[in-house]
Amino acid sequence: MDYGIMADICSWARAVLPNTTEEGQLLQDGIGVSREKLTVIPNGVDERFYHSDKSIFEDKYGMKNFILNVGHIGPERKNVLNLIRALKFIDVPAVIIGRIENNRGGRACMDEAKENPRLMILDSIPNDSDLLASAYAACDVFALPSLFETPGIAALEAALAGAKIVITKYGGTKEYFKSHAEYVDPASIEDIRRGILHSMGKKKNDELRIHIKNNYLWDVVAQKTLEVYERVLAKK
């Protein structure tokens, strides 16, 4: 990435909208974006995931209360290889849904996955598919132990569908999920395993689901964005 170009673009802009406070601080410290320009605008999630029907996935695959991950399989940042290695030590069915990259990381993930008969890997399911929404609702725990996330839209979707969340502690995730998620060190297979097991031991409740619905639906995010545009235009 050419950080010089990024710095120029931010200097020309009248407002800069990071997804998290942590990202905003990085822009301040890393490329000198002034604090006055920064307004945190969160990522959003489609309300339809709140109404997900778990029976669609359960009926198709005969699976309930499994561990789920959704994302690309192969990119280093997504850290799927460490997740697959952690899942080998958890005696519960698991599903990973995502495009399989034809690279060294993707091949390593697939080779490792063959050693776990409890793990099912499904190629990409379109985001607007009822089957994907159903998978979120049918799972017990959604695990996203990436190297970092801001904050992981798939985790927002899963939380809105009612899943318990295990997620990386890096990238501002705590700003979104607060005390309602289990945070893990993505570099530690044992910590990923610990986080998933700890989350599995908890009962599902609606606290996170309602928190996401109240604060991160796209209409809420759009309103926050509109307010920034109105503020910028008023200064012309």
Side-chain angles (χ1 to χ4, degrees):
M1 180 180 291
D2 191 327
Y3 291 100
I5 292 175
M6 182 187 293
D8 286 341
I9 291 171
C10 289
S11 70
W12 300 331
R14 297 176 65 185
V16 178
L17 311 181
N19 291 142
T20 66
T21 302
E22 185 174 323
E23 186 179 27
Q25 193 63 53
L26 284 172
L27 290 170
Q28 270 188 268
D29 298 342
I31 57 176
V33 178
S34 67
R35 190 185 190 95
E36 293 73 25
K37 284 188 177 184
L38 293 170
T39 301
V40 174
I41 301 294
N43 259 319
V45 60
D46 195 316
E47 186 176 5
R48 71 183 184 84
F49 292 102
Y50 187 79
H51 308 288
S52 302
D53 178 2
K54 66 180 182 179
S55 68
I56 299 171
F57 191 90
E58 290 176 348
D59 292 347
K60 183 175 178 64
Y61 292 104
M63 300 180 69
K64 298 181 179 180
N65 299 320
F66 50 90
I67 301 160
L68 176 66
N69 171 271
V70 175
H72 292 169
I73 301 168
E76 182 179 1
R77 183 175 72 83
K78 288 299 181 180
N79 202 37
V80 174
L81 184 58
N82 271 0
L83 173 61
I84 292 172
R85 287 170 173 166
L87 291 172
K88 286 197 298 185
F89 302 100
I90 301 174
D91 190 20
V92 170
V95 178
I96 297 177
I97 300 172
R99 186 180 73 208
I100 304 165
E101 301 286 347
N102 185 23
N103 59 20
R104 184 171 62 180
R107 291 188 289 274
C109 286
M110 297 307 292
D111 288 343
E112 196 81 26
K114 292 174 185 176
E115 300 179 13
N116 185 351
R118 298 177 303 278
L119 174 60
M120 179 172 66
I121 294 184
L122 301 175
D123 206 349
S124 297
I125 298 175
N127 185 261
D128 61 356
S129 166
D130 288 341
L131 183 62
L132 177 63
S134 180
Y136 287 139
C139 77
D140 180 40
V141 172
F142 181 85
L144 193 67
S146 311
L147 300 185
F148 64 91
E149 290 286 353
T150 61
I153 291 179
L156 288 176
E157 294 169 347
L160 193 59
K164 293 176 286 184
I165 302 298
V166 175
I167 196 165
T168 179
K169 62 183 179 179
Y170 299 119
T173 51
K174 292 180 181 180
E175 292 183 39
Y176 289 71
F177 299 99
K178 307 295 184 183
S179 63
H180 306 299
E182 191 72 27
Y183 298 96
V184 297
D185 178 355
S188 169
I189 294 168
E190 175 54 35
D191 198 48
I192 295 169
R193 174 182 173 273
R194 175 207 58 78
I196 292 172
L197 289 172
H198 192 262
S199 186
M200 287 170 54
K202 298 178 181 178
K203 290 185 177 181
K204 280 189 175 182
N205 63 62
D206 281 340
E207 291 181 6
L208 177 57
R209 194 176 184 214
I210 298 301
H211 169 68
I212 300 300
K213 187 173 185 288
N214 288 341
N215 294 282
Y216 299 109
L217 296 186
W218 279 119
D219 59 348
V220 175
V221 174
Q223 181 60 41
K224 291 177 182 290
T225 306
L226 175 62
E227 291 168 3
V228 176
Y229 274 87
E230 290 175 338
R231 187 170 70 242
V232 168
L233 292 172
K235 293 180 180 178
K236 290 184 70 175

